[in-house]
Amino acid sequence: MFRATATQSLSVSFAVGLYGIAFGAAGITAGFSILQTCLLSLLTFSGASQFAVVGVMGAGGTALSGIATASLLGIRNTLYGLRMAPLLQVRGWKKVVAAQITIDESTGVAIGQEDLGPAAMKQGFWLTGIGVYVLWNFFTLLGALGAQAMGNPSSWGLDAAVPAAFLGLVWPRLLGRFERTLAITALVLAILLTPYMPAGLPIIFTALLAVIFGWNSRA
Amino acid sequence: MNQLWIGVIGASIALFALRYSGYLVPEKYLTNPRMLRINTLIPIALLSALVGVQTLTEKGKWVIDQRVAGVLVALIALRLKAPYFVVVISAALTSALIYRFK
């Protein structure tokens, strides 16, 4: 057990899990039942995609457009799976579980542990994936039941805690100038593209940068 | 079955299919040095992009608000080698304080 890794897993799980309250409330506000809202967290289990479904459909969009937007936002999980599969070496039902908890957070903590070796990376993936799953679903239910009691997540600082949590996860990977240049280019490009593309696409688009950067260089 | 149920079940199936397909690519395609490099760099690019989008945009627009201050404090904490939870909490506190008193 790597203690530093465990602390990181728990910190991420709480910061992100708490956001489940906001999702629970958003689901109810958009007209979904408590059961439907909780099922979205249990089965879809991808924050951005879930907000897309309730956002699009709450605004009167069709199921198809909700699913399409959610999928667009979820494509990056496929790319994370490509990175995690060789590390985790899972088969059978474990592969199903690993796939279900392949999210920004579990992948982020895993790659953040690279200096500590593959065992720490694996621990980071499982602990964070399960931690976020449990807390995200618990707080979704709480949010769905209590709806607006908590108020705006901004007043709790969650709006900054989540990007700060991700920044902290990639940070150890940004020691080299090469990785730092890639990170800054990706960050700027995604921000610049945001007003001109549907949500989710600007982030996936930066995978192209990774391809360009990785094609010839040492890294 | 009404639209909402189709949305819930459809999104769940779509997301699982997307996730699982990442695990179905045979390892031999992922182990040549170039793919290995690209595969290592992809999460770095995506997560950095995510930080940018979550900090400086909202609903498809550029927005500068309390989040920027929070993330800048996190950046300082990281440079000072603060423990991870301190990084996250200092960002939350900064953002919450500005949000409440602005």
Side-chain angles (χ1 to χ4, degrees), chain A residues 23 32 35-37 39-41 43-46 49-58 61-71, chain B residues 1-16:
Chain A
F23 174 72
F32 289 76
L35 177 65
Q36 287 168 331
T37 304
L39 281 178
L40 274 171
S41 281
L43 301 175
T44 306
F45 187 53
S46 190
S49 299
Q50 294 177 224
F51 273 107
V53 173
V54 302
V56 169
M57 297 192 67
T62 61
L64 195 64
S65 60
I67 296 167
T69 314
S71 304
Chain B
M1 198 157 66
N2 67 33
Q3 284 283 310
L4 294 185
W5 274 113
I6 298 174
V8 171
I9 293 165
S12 301
I13 294 171
L15 261 286
F16 186 78

Side-chain angles (χ1 to χ4, degrees), chain A residues 60-153:
Chain A
T62 61
L64 195 64
S65 60
I67 296 167
T69 314
S71 304
L72 202 54
L73 288 159
I75 291 174
R76 62 176 186 266
N77 294 317
T78 311
L79 300 172
Y80 294 148
L82 290 178
R83 173 75 181 93
M84 291 298 110
L87 171 74
L88 299 173
Q89 297 286 346
V90 278
R91 282 171 207 291
W93 67 271
K94 269 194 164 174
K95 197 186 245 187
V96 174
V97 176
Q100 180 67 1
I101 60 170
T102 298
I103 47 175
D104 296 315
E105 294 82 1
S106 50
T107 310
V109 173
I111 68 162
Q113 315 307 311
E114 219 166 308
D115 299 337
L116 297 174
M121 292 175 78
K122 278 189 209 173
Q123 182 198 307
F125 175 87
W126 289 109
L127 210 55
T128 312
I130 294 167
V132 173
Y133 192 83
V134 170
L135 291 170
W136 176 256
N137 280 291
F138 172 73
F139 284 116
T140 297
L141 178 62
L142 221 60
L145 291 174
Q148 320 299 21
M150 186 192 173
N152 191 326

Side-chain angles (χ1 to χ4, degrees), chain A residues 8 11-12 31-32 35-36 39 43-46 53 57 62-63 67 70-71 74 76-78 80-85 88-89 95-96 98-100 102-104 108 125 152 154-157 159-160 162-171 178 182-183 186-187 190-192 194-195 203 206 210-211 214-219, chain B residues 2-25 27 30 33-35 37-62 65-68 70-71 74-75 78-79 84-85 87-89 91-93 95-97 99-100:
Chain A
Q8 230 176 54
S11 308
V12 176
F32 289 76
L35 177 65
Q36 287 168 331
L39 281 178
L43 301 175
T44 306
F45 187 53
S46 190
V53 173
M57 297 192 67
T62 61
I67 296 167
S71 304
R76 62 176 186 266
N77 294 317
T78 311
Y80 294 148
L82 290 178
R83 173 75 181 93
M84 291 298 110
L88 299 173
Q89 297 286 346
K95 197 186 245 187
V96 174
Q100 180 67 1
T102 298
I103 47 175
D104 296 315
F125 175 87
N152 191 326
S154 299
S155 63
W156 296 86
D159 55 352
V162 173
F166 285 117
L167 179 64
L169 295 179
V170 281
W171 189 256
F178 180 79
L182 169 66
L187 184 147
I191 293 171
L192 289 179
T194 293
I203 295 173
T206 63
V211 174
W215 198 261
N216 286 313
S217 92
R218 36 127 227 133
Chain B
N2 67 33
Q3 284 283 310
L4 294 185
W5 274 113
I6 298 174
V8 171
I9 293 165
S12 301
I13 294 171
L15 261 286
F16 186 78
L18 284 170
R19 289 199 169 102
Y20 199 68
S21 60
Y23 285 82
L24 293 181
V25 176
E27 208 173 329
L30 300 173
R34 178 173 283 161
M35 271 312 295
R37 267 199 318 264
I38 292 173
N39 212 0
T40 310
L41 293 176
I42 281 176
I44 298 177
L46 295 184
L47 291 173
S48 305
L50 191 62
V51 172
V53 168
Q54 286 178 341
T55 308
L56 283 159
T57 76
E58 199 176 356
K59 298 194 170 81
K61 293 200 175 73
W62 296 321
D65 58 17
Q66 68 279 352
R67 294 172 297 170
V68 181
V71 174
L75 195 62
L78 283 167
R79 295 212 81 128
Y84 184 76
F85 71 93
V87 172
V88 177
I89 288 173
L93 279 177
S95 172
L97 283 174
Y99 181 82
R100 289 187 186 203

